[in-house]
Amino acid sequence: MPGLTLSPSRIVVIQHDSANDFLAAAYPTLRRHEASSNIVLAHALKRITAEAALSAFQFISDADVEACFDPSSSLPHRTTDSFWLTVWSITPSARPTLDFVLSSVNSTLGEYPIFLWTPHRVGTLSSEWLLSRTQHLADHLRLCVPPERVFSVFGMTPLVKTFARYWSALTGFAIEPEPFYAAFFSYCTADSFEPSDVPIPHNHVLRRATTHDLEPVARLCKEFADDSVYFPLAIEHARVEARELIAKGQIWVYDAAGDISTICAVTRNSHRVSAITKVYTTPRWRRKGCAEFLVRDVTARLLFDCGKDCVVLYVGHENSAQRVYDRVGFAGLCGKDKPEGVEDSLELGFVGATRGHW
């Protein structure tokens, strides 16, 4: 396996230049934490066939992972496409433990942020433990890509802050003064889902988008991106995104008698978990309940028709959409107690890097 880095402390970084290679090593841990790992797992699964996902990985166990540790593997090298880095703890007479995952992947519209994930409960990790592993991770990443590629890093807040500080010191690229995104990671299950008996207005329909909806969906994709400030989208690129989402059946619309008011995209899927990744209502239709109708409908489809264990999403700390998601049954929002699995997440950008899109 390429890209093995060993240290005297027995922290090991492995570079995976294909999704198959990454999943062969990490899938047992990712599967046990399928909801929280969605940000890295789903992107990897997109890059392999459904047949491979079902046949090759569902029977991988922790015992199989030890085959990944080959001391004769090559050193880190510059890659030109998607790759993953995994950080492992090695102790005598024990199986390797996966500590961190870093993904560097792209999409039709460009490169994604660097995504970071850990299976450990971040509140239990000491600053020393975090720093030692993020240093190994950042040092290896620096050998793989130019620093301009790392325009932002997204994941659980303590991990992102630790990584960003070290990466900035390592590369000289300053952290942007304001976070690109500060959000809660939340989830809804069949048990927490809140149905509603409020009827949808006459002549309004909740449905999957079709090719006939390309222009209004593209317009709403552009408005959504422009709202983010940091990742605006030209209309021609919005059309590319909308066309892809429609072709893959990943976007639903609120059709208000022919006027598409709201979109809801579901683009990160794994065996038991789906992620709502884009919800947007055009300004003239806001505060009429469109988003709540659509999110509740899409969430119910995923939980009860598709049989998902849970539906996950990120929502900004200051985003009023928290109220919508809370009413649908997403956990730990609107100031409520945060159960295990609801995490604080952060995206930090770097000044002077070449910005991608997500």
Side-chain angles (χ1 to χ4, degrees):
M1 184 168 297
L4 184 69
T5 302
L6 296 176
S7 77
S9 62
R10 302 302 293 159
I11 298 172
V12 176
V13 179
I14 298 180
Q15 180 179 321
H16 312 271
D17 290 329
S18 72
N20 285 326
D21 185 45
F22 165 59
L23 291 172
Y27 191 70
T29 303
L30 298 169
R31 181 178 55 202
R32 285 194 291 271
H33 304 271
E34 194 171 334
S36 70
S37 71
N38 174 268
I39 195 70
V40 294
L41 173 58
H43 285 135
L45 290 173
K46 282 183 182 180
R47 285 159 174 78
I48 62 173
T49 66
E51 181 179 352
L54 289 173
S55 62
F57 300 118
Q58 65 178 332
F59 300 117
I60 290 177
S61 69
D62 291 298
D64 300 314
V65 171
E66 293 179 73
C68 300
F69 295 86
D70 177 8
S72 64
S73 296
S74 63
L75 293 174
H77 61 279
R78 168 83 174 271
T79 63
T80 57
D81 200 356
S82 300
F83 66 95
W84 294 260
L85 302 180
T86 53
V87 180
W88 305 78
S89 290
I90 310 296
T91 55
S93 305
R95 287 175 179 156
T97 300
L98 178 61
D99 290 331
F100 289 145
V101 172
L102 178 152
S103 73
S104 175
V105 296
N106 56 20
S107 70
T108 305
L109 294 176
E111 292 169 324
Y112 282 123
I114 296 297
F115 295 124
L116 299 177
W117 175 76
T118 176
H120 302 292
R121 295 183 63 180
V122 291
T124 67
L125 304 177
S126 70
S127 57
E128 180 181 358
W129 192 96
L130 273 173
L131 181 59
S132 63
R133 283 155 180 80
T134 53
Q135 284 177 339
H136 281 77
L137 199 56
D139 288 343
H140 192 113
L141 180 64
R142 181 65 183 89
L143 299 173
C144 298
V145 297
E148 293 82 3
R149 161 63 183 92
V150 185
F151 61 88
S152 72
V153 58
F154 178 75
M156 300 174 192
T157 297
L159 178 54
V160 167
K161 286 183 174 180
T162 303
F163 182 92
R165 284 193 295 265
Y166 184 75
W167 181 258
S168 180
L170 181 67
T171 64
F173 279 67
I175 301 171
E176 292 275 2
E178 295 295 328
F180 284 179
Y181 193 36
F184 296 119
F185 174 81
S186 182
Y187 59 86
C188 181
T189 66
D191 289 336
S192 69
F193 178 79
E194 295 286 352
S196 173
D197 56 6
V198 177
I200 191 170
H202 180 62
N203 287 338
H204 290 197
V205 179
L206 308 172
R207 59 176 176 81
R208 202 185 297 260
T210 71
T211 54
H212 298 293
D213 303 311
L214 177 61
E215 285 304 315
V217 169
R219 175 175 49 80
L220 293 184
C221 286
K222 173 176 170 52
E223 290 180 15
F224 174 86
D226 291 349
D227 253 13
S228 74
V229 180
Y230 299 105
F231 301 100
L233 198 60
I235 187 60
E236 60 268 23
H237 293 152
R239 288 192 186 98
V240 171
E241 181 179 42
R243 188 175 292 110
E244 183 175 299
L245 291 170
I246 292 169
K248 292 180 177 179
Q250 294 177 331
I251 192 160
W252 284 259
V253 297
Y254 185 112
D255 183 343
D259 189 0
I260 304 302
S261 72
T262 307
I263 54 174
C264 178
V266 180
T267 60
R268 293 197 305 269
N269 295 286
S270 58
H271 181 57
R272 295 174 296 161
V273 178
S274 288
I276 290 176
T277 54
K278 188 193 306 282
V279 176
Y280 181 80
T281 300
T282 198
R284 70 178 182 281
W285 277 100
R286 290 177 185 170
R287 289 184 278 283
K288 300 181 187 298
C290 299
E292 185 172 340
F293 276 119
L294 187 58
V295 169
R296 180 175 282 109
D297 181 72
V298 170
T299 302
R301 290 173 189 245
L302 295 168
L303 292 174
F304 304 113
D305 295 344
C306 300
K308 298 294 182 180
D309 286 356
C310 70
V311 179
V312 301
L313 53 75
Y314 293 96
V315 57
H317 289 169
E318 307 301 323
N319 192 337
S320 61
Q322 280 193 49
R323 296 194 294 271
V324 170
Y325 303 139
D326 174 66
R327 288 194 291 266
V328 171
F330 285 85
L333 302 178
C334 297
K336 294 181 178 178
D337 290 341
K338 291 175 175 47
E340 184 177 352
V342 175
E343 298 284 354
D344 199 46
S345 301
L346 187 67
E347 181 181 8
L348 294 178
F350 297 93
V351 177
T354 305
R355 207 167 286 178
H357 183 78
W358 74 303

